[in-house]
Amino acid sequence: MVLRRSAARRRFMAALAIMLPATGAALADVRHTEVPIAAQGVFIPAPESCPGHADMTITVMARGVVWRGRSCTLDWVEERAGTPGPIYSLHLRCPAPASGDAAGGAAGSPAAAATILNVVVWPKSTDTAAIGPDFTQIADYRRCR
């Protein structure tokens, strides 16, 4: 009887040890309803000078983003610890392109539905951030204001 309890206890402790790191990592993420101030601003590609070309500018506001000519509203922001600072994943909802656009369609058609856009904003300093739709397409940007 004692032998069975200790074997069961060892299995339980091993399972608990395996689950704890995954649980701790999930608890480190924080969800926000607004973009934190550290990630807000008007950004241009790093080699450009301010104010930059309008089509290359990314404007990150508390409740939305203007990027590539589209004004998107914020659904939520996920904050994850990183180095040198937090990494923000913005989950956005963008309106359908106008019917005159190449990608657009008639109102109410499936092509006219709003699209979901994810944008990673990784502030590196008060003046720079890495921004992109995901980590494979992230690029350095400079904050203009």
Side-chain angles (χ1 to χ4, degrees), residues 70 94-105 111-115:
R70 297 176 79 184
C94 305
S99 60
D101 292 350
T115 57

Side-chain angles (χ1 to χ4, degrees), residues 54 57-75 90-98 101 113-117 119:
T57 301
I58 300 172
T59 304
V60 180
M61 300 165 286
R63 299 287 300 146
V65 172
V66 177
W67 189 19
R68 298 179 180 165
R70 297 176 79 184
S71 183
C72 305
T73 57
L74 183 73
D75 281 341
L90 285 56
H91 299 268
L92 306 161
R93 186 172 308 273
C94 305
D101 292 350
T115 57
I116 303 300
L117 176 66
V119 177

Side-chain angles (χ1 to χ4, degrees), residues 41-53:
V42 177
F43 297 91
I44 59 166
E48 300 291 322
S49 60
C50 293
H53 300 300

Side-chain angles (χ1 to χ4, degrees), residues 10-113:
R10 280 194 302 261
R11 282 193 298 262
F12 173 76
M13 294 304 283
L16 186 62
I18 289 170
M19 290 187 303
L20 280 179
T23 305
L27 293 176
D29 295 344
V30 179
R31 188 174 279 202
H32 302 283
T33 57
E34 291 188 346
V35 177
I37 293 173
Q40 293 181 32
V42 177
F43 297 91
I44 59 166
E48 300 291 322
S49 60
C50 293
H53 300 300
D55 59 336
M56 298 173 70
T57 301
I58 300 172
T59 304
V60 180
M61 300 165 286
R63 299 287 300 146
V65 172
V66 177
W67 189 19
R68 298 179 180 165
R70 297 176 79 184
S71 183
C72 305
T73 57
L74 183 73
D75 281 341
W76 74 86
V77 178
E78 192 143 330
E79 177 182 345
R80 175 167 282 189
T83 304
I87 301 167
Y88 301 102
S89 178
L90 285 56
H91 299 268
L92 306 161
R93 186 172 308 273
C94 305
S99 60
D101 292 350
S109 71

